Amino acid sequence: MGAETRLSHTAALILKAISAGYIYGFSVMEMTGLPSGTVYPAMRRLERDGLIQSKWEAESIATTEQRPPRKYYKLTRAGKSTLEASLKRYPLLEKMIPQNEVEHA
Amino acid sequence: MTMLFRLCMIGLHAASWMVCEEDRYEWLREWASELWHIHAAVKNAPLREQMEMLRFARGAFSDAFWLAVHNRRLRGWKLPVFHSPLQCLIALFVLALAATGLALIHPEIRNAVLPPSTYEEARSLVLIARDGYTQTEKPSVRLDEFRNWTRNTQHLYSELAFYQMLERRVHIGHGSEATLSIARSSNNLFHVIDSPSLSGNNVSLIKDKPQALLSEAAWRTLFHRDRHIIGHTLLIAGEKAIIIGVAARDSWQLPGKADVWLLETDARMNELPMGAMGFVVARLQTSLLNQGAGDSLHMLVPNGDGDYSGFTCTVLIKRLREPLYLFAFTAMLALLALPATTSLPLGDYPLHPGRQSWSIRIRRWVFLAAKLLLLVPILCFGPIAITHWAASLQATTVASIQGCITFATTLFALRWMLRDQRRRCPVCLQLLRNPVRVGQPSRNFLAWNGTELICVGGHGFLHVPELPTSWCSTQRWLYLDPSWRTLFRPPVPISF
C-alpha cells in the first residue's frame, strides 16, 4: 500500500488517533467519538491494507496488573506516509486529535 | 461481574459465531479484553454510564459481520462444516424451525398441515372435476352438466353449487374502474361451503338481486377499508350487485383466486350459456358418509351420444393435503433412489469393550435418528414453502416444482446424513479430519489403498478403501489405545 492511498475521513481520523498514541480500540473510540461498530471494522481494513499492525500486550504485564492483555495497534511505515498524505487532504485532523502524552509500547 | 457485563459477554460470544473458526479465538479475546476494561472503568458508575458496555458490545456484531464478509470474499463461499455433533444438531434445528415457520405463515401450507377450520363439516364437502382435471385449477364442468346433476343426483349430493372465474372491469365508485377477478356463482355457493368467514351479513336476505362479497384484499386496497361498504352497489360488467360483506383473509380454499364473489340470481344463472365451464362443489349425502365413501368418488355420467363421461369427486380436506401426500410420495422415491448414490452400510466398527460402551453405541444411533427427525420438517415444509410462495403459478406447475425440489433435496439430505454419520468418530461423534491417502492402487491385492481419517480426540482412525475388496469391503474403524491420547488435543468444547 503506497503513500498515495486515499483514505476516507473516518479512516484518516482513526489512523491519526493511533499515530497520536491512542493505540487500543476503546481509546480510539473515546478520542474519535466513533462507535465500536465503526472503529473496529475500520481498523481491520487498515490492518488488511498494511497501514497499521497489531500486537498483543505481553502477558506478564497484564498478569501483574491483574487484567486481561490488550491488543495494541501501531502505524507501519506505509501507514505513516499515508497519514502524511491524508493530513494534507484533511488539515483539521491535526487539530482534532492531540498527541497522547502516555505512549504505550 | 455485573449482570450487564455477563449479558455483553453472551452477545460477544454470539457475534463470534459469524467469525471464521481460525480467527474466532483472537477476535473474541480482543473484544472481551476491551469489554473487561470498560467494565472495570464503569462498574461502580450509575446504570446510564454502565450502558457504555452495551453500546460497545453492539459494535461487535458489525465487526464480526465485516470479518465474515471479508473472509468469505478472500476464501470463497463454502458450506459450513459442523465438526461437533451439537453444532450439527443446532444447525439442523434452526433450519427445521425456519422451514416450519415459513410453512405456517403461508395459508395454503398451514391448511395442508392443520385441518381447515374455515368450512363446517369439511369431510362432506367435495369438489367435482372431470377426469384428468382434479389436480388442475382449470374449470372442467359444463353448466348443463351441473343443472343435470342438481336434478338427478339427490341420492349422492344434498346440494350442489357452480362457479366460474372471470376477469371483468368493475366500476368501484367515484368514476373509477378496476379489473378484478370475479367468481360468478350460483347463489347457494356459500350455503354449500357453509363457512362463517365467507358468508356476508345479509346473504340470506336478498335472493332476487345479484350479491357481491368482497375479498379482504380488495376491500383493503380498492375500498380503503370502508366500514360502511355493505349495502353499496357494484357495477360489474353492466350488472348491478349489492355488496353483502367482506370475506375473511385466507377463507377461500377452493380453486381460483377471487377479488369479488358474485352470487347470481337463479334467473341470471339460467341466462348463462349451457356450455359455460366452471367448478362444482357439493355436499355429500350423510348416508354416503356413513357408508365410508372415502376421500374420493368416481362418477360416470351418460352424455348425449351414448358414451359416458367420468368425474372425480375429491373431498376438500384431501385436496388441501395434497402437498403432504406429494412429499410422502417423492420422499419415498428418493429413499428408493438412495442406494444408487451412496452405500447404505455405516461401516465396520469392531467391538471394543473398553471403548464402546452401550451408552456410546446408543448415542451414535440417537444422533442419526435426531438428524433424520430434524430433516423431516426441513424437507417437507421447505419445498412446500418455496413453491407456494410463487402463488401466481398454476397448481400443476406448483406440484411439479414441489415434487422436483422435494426429490432432489431429500436425496441430497439422506445422502448427506449417511455420509456425515460415516465420517464421525463412533466415540465422540466429532467429524474426522486430516484425510490422507494410504497405499497405492497397484498394491491392492497385497494390502489396501484408500483414505485414512483421524479423530482429533485421539479415539482412532477410519480407513476408507478406495476399491471395496472381499477383505476390505467397507470402511473400517481402528481404535487407538488410550496411551496415544497425549498426542491429541481434547475436542473443542462448545461453550459461551
Side-chain angles (χ1 to χ4, degrees):
Chain A
M1 206 46 68
E4 68 279 1
T5 307
R6 297 184 73 176
L7 296 178
S8 68
H9 186 266
T10 307
L13 186 66
I14 291 168
L15 204 62
K16 173 65 184 149
I18 295 170
S19 150
Y22 301 94
I23 54 173
Y24 52 88
F26 190 66
S27 66
V28 174
M29 282 170 56
E30 278 193 316
M31 177 40 61
T32 58
L34 295 167
S36 59
T38 303
V39 168
Y40 280 92
M43 290 203 302
R44 310 260 180 250
R45 272 193 290 270
L46 291 172
E47 194 170 13
R48 178 199 64 188
D49 295 344
L51 302 180
I52 59 172
Q53 64 183 47
S54 61
K55 191 179 142 190
W56 279 99
E57 182 186 18
E59 196 83 42
S60 55
I61 300 171
T63 312
T64 314
E65 294 178 12
Q66 293 189 319
R67 60 178 177 79
R70 284 187 123 143
K71 197 176 187 183
Y72 292 139
Y73 293 85
K74 70 172 186 181
L75 264 65
T76 60
R77 191 172 294 175
K80 282 174 188 164
S81 49
T82 304
L83 180 63
E84 278 172 27
S86 300
L87 287 175
K88 286 175 191 157
R89 197 169 168 218
Y90 308 114
L92 285 177
L93 280 183
E94 197 83 71
K95 292 176 185 169
M96 283 171 75
I97 299 182
Q99 197 67 22
N100 192 1
E101 286 172 9
V102 184
E103 290 256 359
H104 292 263
Chain B
M1 295 294 160
T2 60
M3 184 64 97
L4 205 58
F5 176 75
R6 287 176 201 281
L7 194 70
C8 291
M9 279 304 292
I10 291 171
L12 291 186
H13 278 279
S16 75
W17 283 95
M18 281 193 269
V19 182
C20 68
E21 205 176 348
E22 298 98 273
D23 302 337
R24 193 176 297 151
Y25 174 75
E26 186 162 330
W27 182 90
L28 194 57
R29 193 174 167 217
E30 182 181 7
W31 276 93
S33 163
E34 289 299 317
L35 184 68
W36 187 93
H37 284 92
I38 299 169
H39 173 253
V42 300
K43 64 183 173 189
N44 296 321
L47 186 66
R48 217 177 69 183
E49 285 180 35
Q50 285 190 32
M51 293 302 277
E52 181 61 40
M53 283 191 286
L54 212 58
R55 281 190 287 276
F56 176 78
R58 200 173 57 191
F61 286 89
S62 307
D63 189 31
F65 180 73
W66 184 86
L67 271 176
V69 171
H70 177 63
N71 285 332
R72 291 272 191 278
R73 273 194 205 134
L74 277 185
R75 296 166 198 176
W77 289 91
K78 284 182 194 167
L79 277 174
V81 178
F82 300 107
H83 289 106
S84 143
L86 192 60
Q87 279 178 336
C88 176
L89 291 181
I90 289 173
L92 284 178
F93 179 72
V94 170
L95 278 176
L97 212 61
T100 311
L102 270 178
L104 292 180
I105 289 169
H106 199 283
E108 277 187 43
I109 309 163
R110 197 172 53 236
N111 287 339
V113 179
L114 307 167
S117 55
T118 50
Y119 298 161
E120 298 292 330
E121 285 295 324
R123 205 166 58 93
S124 64
L125 189 64
V126 294
L127 189 73
I128 306 175
R130 196 176 298 275
D131 285 353
Y133 287 82
T134 46
Q135 305 293 324
T136 69
E137 298 244 325
K138 288 180 184 167
S140 60
V141 181
R142 289 200 313 271
L143 185 60
D144 60 327
E145 288 168 328
F146 162 72
R147 284 183 187 147
N148 186 21
W149 297 343
T150 52
R151 287 190 298 272
N152 302 321
T153 58
Q154 284 92 347
H155 60 292
L156 293 174
Y157 312 111
S158 56
E159 200 166 7
L160 294 113
F162 177 90
Y163 72 93
Q164 56 179 178
M165 301 303 301
L166 308 164
E167 293 273 324
R168 288 283 184 274
R169 295 286 296 170
V170 177
H171 180 77
I172 54 174
H174 306 295
S176 56
E177 284 191 343
T179 303
L180 299 180
S181 173
I182 295 161
R184 178 157 65 179
S185 73
S186 51
N187 59 18
N188 65 341
L189 177 66
F190 296 139
H191 188 252
V192 173
I193 292 172
D194 198 10
S195 167
S197 53
L198 271 172
S199 303
N201 295 0
N202 307 315
V203 68
S204 57
L205 300 179
I206 317 158
K207 288 280 184 187
D208 55 339
K209 285 179 184 169
Q211 302 159 62
L213 187 76
L214 301 176
S215 70
E216 196 267 346
W219 174 65
R220 190 163 26 88
T221 54
L222 300 174
F223 298 95
H224 312 291
R225 300 173 191 267
D226 183 358
R227 293 187 178 278
H228 308 290
I229 195 75
I230 294 168
H232 285 222
T233 306
L234 268 186
L235 197 61
I236 304 173
E239 181 185 345
K240 280 184 179 176
I242 296 169
I243 298 174
I244 55 166
V246 178
R249 190 187 291 181
D250 308 328
S251 53
W252 178 252
Q253 294 167 348
L254 295 170
K257 195 174 178 184
D259 297 313
V260 178
W261 288 268
L262 178 65
L263 306 181
E264 295 281 20
T265 58
D266 290 340
R268 295 222 21 127
M269 282 298 284
N270 290 332
E271 288 171 14
L272 290 179
M274 302 288 270
M277 300 295 276
F279 302 91
V280 172
V281 277
R283 280 278 168 196
L284 281 177
Q285 285 287 6
T286 323
S287 56
L288 272 178
L289 282 176
N290 294 340
Q291 287 168 22
D295 286 341
S296 63
L297 291 170
H298 193 250
M299 186 167 73
L300 282 174
V301 180
N303 50 29
D305 54 7
D307 205 356
Y308 288 87
S309 297
F311 292 88
T312 306
C313 316
T314 313
V315 175
L316 190 68
I317 291 179
K318 189 194 172 195
R319 192 187 136 76
L320 293 173
R321 286 182 180 165
E322 264 163 16
L324 284 187
Y325 297 141
L326 188 61
F327 162 72
F329 177 68
T330 43
M332 184 65 76
L333 286 182
L335 205 60
L336 291 173
L338 185 63
T341 63
T342 185
S343 61
L344 297 182
L346 291 175
D348 189 11
Y349 295 87
L351 194 63
H352 191 295
R355 307 300 299 272
Q356 228 188 358
S357 65
W358 273 107
S359 63
I360 287 174
R361 265 190 259 179
I362 289 171
R363 200 174 56 177
R364 197 164 153 252
W365 286 106
V366 166
F367 177 62
L368 182 68
K371 277 194 291 187
L372 184 63
L373 276 178
L374 290 171
L375 280 175
V376 169
I378 299 171
L379 298 171
C380 178
F381 299 139
I384 296 178
I386 290 167
T387 46
H388 279 76
W389 281 111
S392 56
L393 295 175
Q394 283 198 344
T396 43
T397 318
V398 167
S400 310
I401 296 172
Q402 189 207 326
C404 292
I405 296 177
T406 307
F407 180 78
T409 49
T410 308
L411 193 60
F412 173 79
L414 292 175
R415 187 171 180 270
W416 168 82
M417 187 185 74
L418 290 177
R419 286 170 67 90
D420 178 77
Q421 192 73 8
R422 282 196 288 261
R423 290 289 180 274
R424 287 189 182 270
C425 167
V427 180
C428 63
L429 293 177
Q430 291 277 332
L431 267 185
L432 302 171
R433 299 183 209 190
N434 309 322
V436 286
R437 297 276 311 162
V438 176
Q440 292 173 343
S442 59
R443 299 178 62 189
N444 214 33
F445 288 106
L446 296 171
W448 73 280
N449 83 97
T451 310
E452 185 183 75
L453 295 111
I454 194 166
C455 167
V456 290
H459 298 115
F461 292 106
L462 183 73
H463 293 149
V464 186
E466 185 77 37
L467 288 170
T469 54
S470 58
W471 61 91
C472 192
S473 60
T474 181
Q475 64 174 43
R476 188 171 292 165
W477 181 256
L478 177 71
Y479 286 103
L480 276 180
D481 193 81
S483 60
W484 288 82
R485 186 72 65 83
T486 50
L487 292 177
F488 297 89
R489 68 184 172 94
V492 182
I494 297 170
S495 61
F496 275 115

